[in-house]
Amino acid sequence: GWQRRVLAAGRVTLSVFHGDVAEGLADLQTRQQQPVDAWFLDGFAPDRNPDMWRPDLFTRIADMSRAQSSVTTFTAVGQVRRDLQSAGFTMRRVDQRPHKRESLAGRLMGKPARQPIIPPKRVSVVGGGIAAASTARHLAEQGIGVDLIAPTGLADGASQITSAVCHGRLLGDRSAAADLRAQAFLYSTAYLRQAVGFDGHGVLQVQGPTMDARKLGRISTAYDASNPAQGWVDACTPEQAYQRSGFRPQGDSLWFAQAGAIDLAATTRALVDHPGIEPLTRPTAQDQPEVWCTADAILQVSGCEHLEISTIHGQLDVYRHATNIRAPIVGNGYFVPGAGEITLGATYEYSPWSTARARAHNLDANRPYLNDADLGPAARSIKAARAVSSDRTPIIGPLGDLWLNLAHGSMGATTAPLGAAVIASRLLGWISPVNPAVETVLDPDRFARRQARRGRRHGR
């Protein structure tokens, strides 16, 4: 399916489809609204890869083009030239010596072309956390002005956390939800690497109460983690884990080389620091699209009351303590080493706990990484609330006249930037960066469809 990367500080957006060219073009034809300006066809020689050079594919290409869109190919085979001409392109041969004798180039002339859509000039983004900041930045990088309306200020809620962990949270079941997590991790770690506040030097995932050896093995198999050439998630023996992180787990583990710790507050503020983004405390315009990134506050907005969102409270605790562990560890809670301090987390409270109870929980969950050390009193604790949907999947996409990018739960560092890319792409008329099945899983209308079948279910 699709993978998306943003390069050169937003000036280049690269989407790559892994799979059969006919399937990729069919999806592009369905979901890409903007016409394509230029086509570069390079699918090996036609006699070696005939499925790449079928006449019906050239018809699809013409259908996605505008008047005067260009096409060029490395090949000068006569049948390719005739098939492109039949699709509506006026073709000519191009002298390519001394590299090769000839190639083909042409322009679409012979049929009505797809008309471009006009993106909005300005958009309102409501919210002050990582989802709002990511959405605002994605839009601003594409030349769309943003009114960022943050009534309670920037880096509020869960985005105030200074030692979060950005890692895969993978599933091994080949579902659309599993695709979402893999795509979100790969996209967001690449995107956030360009931002302030992300320390992407790797994260170790060990076995724990919710990740036993069987589940970890299923993830390892699904993503070929034992293959050294695979490159982004590696299966580790205890000794390999120790060499990478400074911690030797009891069993096998997974190493995410591109993952890391993230200062969500610093990253949120850095993303908003763009000349195309104007931070506001209240709306000033009404006649422009609105993207809401407001956690459970969306339930107070007319037409959104049916969304199944709950608030889950949590606490992190910071201790002044040196450690030989060099990388964050997730599995039984999470452990983030820093300069002379460690962060332990995080609780998952359906109703708020006392600070003392939450600290005891975090200490107990992270005991394997502490080597029986007496940490003394906590230097500070951070309490925040997460918005979680009833199916534990973010809510991303249009709902009536609004656009939503919210309910990221504990995965905001990875799913919020991908959600921003989905929103920006659809407002611009581009194909979404996620596969169609993932787009369906994220769809805000999914709750209304389910409630029509079985009634309302609360977020818990």
Side-chain angles (χ1 to χ4, degrees), residues 14 17 38 85 195 233 320 340:
L14 173 68
F17 182 83
Q85 287 173 334
V233 53
R320 304 293 186 195

Short mmCIF file of all heavy atoms in Angstrom, two decimals, residues 14 17 38 85 195 233 320 340:
data_model
loop_
_atom_site.label_atom_id
_atom_site.label_comp_id
_atom_site.label_asym_id
_atom_site.label_seq_id
_atom_site.Cartn_x
_atom_site.Cartn_y
_atom_site.Cartn_z
N LEU A 14 6.54 12.97 -0.81
CA LEU A 14 6.74 11.75 -1.60
C LEU A 14 5.77 10.67 -1.14
O LEU A 14 5.73 10.33 0.04
CB LEU A 14 8.18 11.25 -1.44
CG LEU A 14 8.51 9.88 -2.06
CD1 LEU A 14 8.45 9.96 -3.58
CD2 LEU A 14 9.88 9.40 -1.60
N PHE A 17 3.73 3.80 -3.61
CA PHE A 17 2.82 2.66 -3.52
C PHE A 17 3.63 1.38 -3.70
O PHE A 17 4.29 1.19 -4.72
CB PHE A 17 1.73 2.73 -4.59
CG PHE A 17 0.74 1.61 -4.50
CD1 PHE A 17 -0.32 1.67 -3.61
CD2 PHE A 17 0.87 0.47 -5.29
CE1 PHE A 17 -1.23 0.62 -3.51
CE2 PHE A 17 -0.03 -0.58 -5.19
CZ PHE A 17 -1.08 -0.50 -4.30
N ALA A 38 2.66 15.76 -14.48
CA ALA A 38 3.73 15.11 -15.25
C ALA A 38 3.83 13.64 -14.85
O ALA A 38 3.79 13.31 -13.66
CB ALA A 38 5.07 15.81 -15.00
N GLN A 85 -0.73 7.25 -27.63
CA GLN A 85 -1.48 8.08 -28.58
C GLN A 85 -2.96 7.74 -28.54
O GLN A 85 -3.83 8.63 -28.58
CB GLN A 85 -0.92 7.91 -29.99
CG GLN A 85 0.44 8.57 -30.19
CD GLN A 85 1.06 8.24 -31.53
OE1 GLN A 85 0.78 7.20 -32.13
NE2 GLN A 85 1.92 9.13 -32.02
N ALA A 195 11.89 17.96 13.58
CA ALA A 195 11.35 18.94 14.52
C ALA A 195 12.16 18.98 15.81
O ALA A 195 12.93 18.07 16.13
CB ALA A 195 9.89 18.61 14.83
N VAL A 233 12.32 -2.52 12.54
CA VAL A 233 12.03 -3.21 13.79
C VAL A 233 12.84 -4.51 13.77
O VAL A 233 12.75 -5.29 12.82
CB VAL A 233 10.52 -3.47 14.00
CG1 VAL A 233 9.88 -4.18 12.82
CG2 VAL A 233 10.28 -4.26 15.28
N ARG A 320 15.17 12.11 40.25
CA ARG A 320 16.57 12.44 40.07
C ARG A 320 17.39 11.18 40.33
O ARG A 320 17.66 10.80 41.47
CB ARG A 320 16.99 13.53 41.06
CG ARG A 320 16.16 14.78 41.00
CD ARG A 320 16.36 15.54 39.69
NE ARG A 320 15.65 16.81 39.70
CZ ARG A 320 15.40 17.53 38.63
NH1 ARG A 320 15.80 17.10 37.44
NH2 ARG A 320 14.76 18.68 38.71
N GLY A 340 20.65 12.59 34.13
CA GLY A 340 20.57 12.61 35.58
C GLY A 340 19.19 12.39 36.15
O GLY A 340 18.97 12.61 37.35
#
